Amino acid sequence: GQHFRNRVIEVQRQEGGKMCSGRPLETKECKIQECDVDCRWGNWTEWGNCSMDCGDGIQERNRIVVEEAKANGASCQGFA
């Protein structure tokens, strides 16, 4: 977020007086606390080849975490 403050000229310069200096508006970035972000999985890859030419084999596929959990966000559940 942002903090900001504003000021106004209360007395205008007169008879050779100096112009007011500085900006009338000040802003400052602020972060009170981290936002909660839930972990997010990417898409599964395609299934790999079977580990056996015949009989019972195994096929695998995987996925990666595309966004890690932050602050109090939920962690990723399941297998990669």
Side-chain angles (χ1 to χ4, degrees):
Q2 286 187 334
H3 287 291
F4 62 93
R5 64 182 179 179
N6 194 15
R7 62 183 179 176
V8 296
I9 298 171
E10 292 182 356
V11 178
Q12 294 292 333
R13 76 178 184 149
Q14 298 174 4
E15 300 181 29
K18 292 184 180 180
M19 294 280 293
C20 291
S21 62
R23 297 178 181 204
L25 178 66
E26 260 186 339
T27 60
K28 178 174 89 166
E29 295 294 321
C30 61
K31 181 175 17 174
I32 296 171
Q33 67 183 26
E34 285 287 330
C35 295
D36 296 341
V37 175
D38 292 340
C39 176
R40 205 164 45 91
W41 285 112
N43 294 328
W44 286 102
T45 61
E46 295 295 320
W47 285 103
N49 293 329
C50 188
S51 63
M52 304 290 289
D53 290 334
C54 60
D56 294 331
I58 296 173
Q59 280 183 289
E60 293 181 348
R61 65 181 183 167
N62 42 54
R63 58 188 175 167
I64 61 169
V65 172
V66 293
E67 186 154 27
E68 296 285 347
K70 294 179 187 161
N72 291 317
S75 59
C76 284
Q77 302 296 314
F79 298 103

